[in-house]
Amino acid sequence: KAGVTQTPRYLIKTRGQQVTLSCSPISGHRSVSWYQQTPGQGLQFLFEYFSETQRNKGNFPGRFSGRQFSNSRSEMNVSTLELGDSALYLCASSLSTRGAYNEKLFFGSGTQLSVL
Amino acid sequence: GESVGLHLPTLSVQEGDNSIINCAYSNSASDYFIWYKQESGKGPQFIIDIRSNMDKRQGQRVTVLLNKTVKHLSLQIAATQPGDSAVYFCAENGGGATNKLIFGTGTLLAVQP
């Protein structure tokens, strides 16, 4: 079974631009979460989607948004990029049968975003 | 932020020895915990999880211990191998119905041949 797939693997953008990152969860997994990883702040939760609805949100500004499609694939968008948005963005999926919580979370390899 | 980026603690062990990685979690309401391994250039890899109704759980070469009294988790790796060299993170759910995980700062495990 294929793991969580994230594209692209690397991105370079300039300040003020916007970016869209893509995530395909493990087949059959219905919950998708996004995390930001930086050397200074570590791993921080951005948001979680289940059944095309945002179920939980972390403490990030509104420039960070996401969505989930009917096939469970997810995208996240960052608008008006700032230098501090440079990070590894990780997507994770879990089975969430019948919307269950607190299940194993499996991560993709991430998208490394550099903002110049 | 909830995960503070501090200097990454390092545990150096000899190949074949047992490793113990410790983690102090922050929220007494947390009832689900996971250990992850992250190698350079890769995403976190699931190792083992434990719920608060247990105090010990074993996997292949790994054991997780949970002490809720002092809010402490540990990951024991038996017969450590060079391939175990990585950063190890503990994560907690903060309690309740959520898939949000709060990660610790991580520990770098360096296995000496």
Side-chain angles (χ1 to χ4, degrees):
Chain A
K1 191 183 258 191
V4 177
T5 304
Q6 292 188 246
T7 57
R9 186 71 180 89
Y10 300 96
L11 262 180
I12 300 175
K13 293 285 187 179
T14 56
R15 278 181 300 174
Q17 287 186 310
Q18 74 163 14
V19 66
T20 298
L21 313 181
S22 181
C23 172
S24 292
I26 293 171
S27 178
H29 283 198
R30 299 180 64 197
S31 166
V32 173
S33 300
W34 289 89
Y35 287 78
Q36 181 196 65
Q37 186 175 27
T38 60
Q41 295 295 314
L43 277 146
Q44 293 193 289
F45 173 79
L46 280 156
F47 27 65
E48 184 216 357
Y49 287 87
F50 174 81
S51 213
E52 301 178 67
T53 301
Q54 189 179 86
R55 201 158 66 159
N56 205 343
K57 188 178 188 309
N59 297 325
F60 280 82
R63 300 186 297 106
F64 292 81
S65 63
R67 58 178 176 168
Q68 187 182 32
F69 303 95
S70 58
N71 60 359
S72 294
R73 194 177 68 83
S74 177
E75 289 181 346
M76 70 162 280
N77 183 277
V78 188
S79 63
T80 320
L81 284 165
E82 300 177 0
L83 295 179
D85 296 333
S86 293
L88 180 65
Y89 289 89
L90 292 158
C91 171
S93 73
S94 64
L95 196 56
S96 280
T97 306
R98 292 188 296 277
Y101 294 96
N102 297 324
E103 296 180 330
K104 297 179 178 65
L105 203 61
F106 296 94
F107 282 84
S109 293
T111 294
Q112 184 66 54
L113 172 65
S114 297
V115 182
L116 307 178
Chain B
E2 290 168 313
S3 178
V4 178
L6 301 174
H7 174 71
L8 204 60
T10 300
L11 175 65
S12 186
V13 299
Q14 290 294 126
E15 182 179 356
D17 287 352
N18 297 334
S19 303
I20 300 176
I21 301 171
N22 295 303
C23 174
Y25 64 92
S26 59
N27 194 328
S28 56
S30 289
D31 52 13
Y32 181 60
F33 307 86
I34 306 181
W35 278 98
Y36 285 95
K37 170 188 180 183
Q38 188 173 27
E39 297 172 281
S40 181
K42 298 184 179 179
Q45 175 189 347
F46 175 90
I47 300 174
I48 192 167
D49 59 353
I50 188 168
R51 299 185 189 276
S52 59
N53 60 352
M54 303 175 71
D55 52 22
K56 180 179 179 179
R57 192 161 188 228
Q58 289 183 291
Q60 187 176 11
R61 274 202 312 121
V62 295
T63 301
V64 55
L65 298 177
L66 173 62
N67 185 330
K68 295 182 287 294
T69 303
V70 295
K71 294 192 290 185
H72 185 267
L73 268 176
S74 67
L75 177 70
Q76 301 177 4
I77 304 173
T80 313
Q81 303 167 358
D84 294 327
S85 294
V87 177
Y88 288 79
F89 292 96
C90 65
E92 60 182 299
N93 72 339
T98 178
N99 275 342
K100 171 184 175 180
L101 291 177
I102 303 163
F103 281 81
T105 54
T107 296
L108 175 61
L109 177 64
V111 182
Q112 309 301 323

